[in-house]
Amino acid sequence: MRVAVTGASGFVGGAVCRELALRGVRVFAYGRRASVGERHLGGAVYRSWDIARGVLHAPPPVDAVIHCAGTVTDWGPVPGFFATNLEGTRNVLASFPGTRFVHVSTASVYDPHVPTVMATEDQAPVTRYENAYGVSKAAAERAVLAAGGPSVILRPHAIYGPGDTTLLPRVLGAVRGPVLVAVGTGRQLLSLTAVWNLVQACVLAAGKDVTGVFNVTDAEPLPIDDAFAMILQERGIRARRIYLPERALRPVAAAAEGLFLLAGSARPPRLTRYALGHLAVERTLDIGAAREVLGYRPGPTSFAGAYAW
Ligand SMILES: NC(=O)c1ccc[n+]([C@@H]2O[C@H](COP(=O)([O-])OP(=O)(O)OC[C@H]3O[C@@H](n4cnc5c(N)ncnc54)[C@H](OP(=O)(O)O)[C@@H]3O)[C@@H](O)[C@H]2O)c1
């Protein structure tokens, strides 16, 4: 089997490449940067390709494409999100026309203004989002479906694991001495996605003759406080978790965003209103369709080995 993987220089794409290489699949890995360490790719052939700039020159024949590339943040100029997440996705589709296409989307396509309670796939996309990430990822899903080829869209939520640049660093960055300040009550339920579970779904989707949209998370949701406790324990950090209502933290997040904007910072503040709104309430997904149609068998949420990179 021959598979092209975009976003291979990143967290998810790298993990997908390593798993495919272990299975003896011939992997063609693409990322924007000029080069990537061999260990990250499991030995896959790497080529630099900025998907926002156009189609791939002389694409190799492949059996499937696993599209992991994306602008993944809640910060930064709006055009950049659309250039990569929407136009970039169109360019990847056009580079491999008619080829089985596994699109790594996100649970951010669900309505951010209301709690997400065991959401099923038909509840997204919606018409209103809070930021360019959500709008551009929803538009990318529509582009994949409009292309009309055999496609699978995967919607993970809050991916963690070795090499994670988002979730675990943000949680650890919120620890101040003996305290971790967080939002909500601590009992709000959350579906998380271990990168090894997402990789399993990508491999299944690339190799099976199925199409559709699938939520992809760990086996069961858990209260956010349990997740924080497990993360801190794995790092050997003793910190008391203190939960504050969203309305108390929102002005702090707004002020932080204002200061970072004025300073022209390319990086977001630790606290953004989007992150607060996202974590303050339940965010859980129904994964029945992935279990039934893809044969997805996720492991439970566990941070064991999540820092081993
Ligand atoms: N991380 C999460 O919690 C999370 C949650 C839900 C869904 N997702 C989705 O999962 C996918 C992978 O995310 P990730 O966490 O692996 O992000 P990541 O570590 O930031 O990796 C992003 C990848 O996309 C590549 N990329 C960005 N812009 C590009 C461009 N213009 N042309 C070519 N490649 C480009 C990057 O290449 P360079 O680094 O070489 O520039 C990198 O390989 C994304 O589609 C994201 O929407 C992530």
Side-chain angles (χ1 to χ4, degrees):
M1 194 181 184
R2 297 158 62 95
V3 176
V5 179
T6 68
S9 48
F11 166 43
V12 173
V16 169
C17 287
R18 294 191 293 279
E19 178 62 25
L20 289 172
L22 270 180
R23 291 167 179 250
V25 172
R26 177 122 192 253
V27 182
F28 299 85
Y30 300 95
R32 186 172 40 185
R33 67 191 73 175
S35 62
V36 183
E38 210 171 282
R39 179 175 165 236
H40 184 81
L41 301 171
V45 183
Y46 180 80
R47 261 176 78 185
S48 172
W49 171 25
D50 185 339
I51 61 170
R53 286 175 176 260
V55 296
L56 180 66
H57 174 66
V62 292
D63 302 295
V65 177
I66 302 180
H67 177 41
C68 306
T71 296
V72 191
T73 174
D74 56 356
W75 192 254
V78 169
F81 287 90
F82 286 91
T84 299
N85 293 347
L86 178 57
E87 290 310 321
T89 296
R90 287 193 177 128
N91 286 331
V92 179
L93 286 160
S95 300
F96 299 95
T99 307
R100 165 159 288 281
F101 196 85
V102 180
H103 177 69
V104 179
S105 184
T106 170
S108 294
V109 297
Y110 289 103
D111 191 342
H113 302 94
V114 294
T116 314
V117 182
M118 293 311 268
T120 50
E121 288 78 357
D122 56 333
Q123 291 173 32
V126 293
T127 48
R128 49 186 202 153
Y129 290 98
E130 273 188 348
N131 62 19
Y133 178 65
V135 187
S136 62
K137 292 293 285 190
E141 285 197 0
R142 292 191 183 98
V144 171
L145 296 174
S151 66
V152 170
I153 292 173
L154 303 176
R155 291 182 184 153
H157 181 239
I159 309 165
Y160 64 91
D164 164 15
T165 51
T166 312
L167 183 69
L168 299 181
R170 269 202 174 177
V171 172
L172 296 179
V175 177
R176 289 278 171 276
V179 169
L180 167 64
V181 177
V183 67
T185 63
R187 301 318 297 163
Q188 67 267 32
L189 290 172
L190 213 58
S191 290
L192 299 171
T193 308
V195 72
W196 38 85
N197 283 331
L198 176 57
V199 166
Q200 180 200 139
C202 288
V203 171
L204 285 166
K208 275 198 171 180
D209 189 17
V210 292
T211 56
V213 183
F214 302 99
N215 293 331
V216 175
T217 70
D218 296 345
E220 301 286 346
L222 76 175
I224 197 169
D225 189 56
D226 293 8
F228 287 154
M230 289 161 78
I231 290 171
L232 295 175
Q233 191 186 25
E234 184 63 23
R235 286 301 273 178
I237 296 171
R238 291 168 69 91
R240 197 156 61 89
R241 277 96 59 203
I242 294 178
Y243 289 90
L244 297 177
E246 188 191 353
R247 65 175 183 284
L249 288 169
R250 233 181 143 75
V252 181
E257 285 179 40
L259 286 174
F260 273 60
L261 270 179
L262 277 176
S265 171
R267 294 163 62 94
R270 287 233 168 82
L271 203 59
T272 61
R273 282 167 293 176
Y274 172 75
L276 277 183
H278 195 73
L279 292 175
V281 295
E282 176 164 344
R283 300 287 175 198
T284 56
L285 305 180
D286 183 321
I287 54 170
R291 287 184 191 273
E292 196 176 313
V293 182
L294 287 180
Y296 176 57
R297 298 289 176 266
T301 295
S302 164
F303 297 93
Y307 294 96
W309 189 246

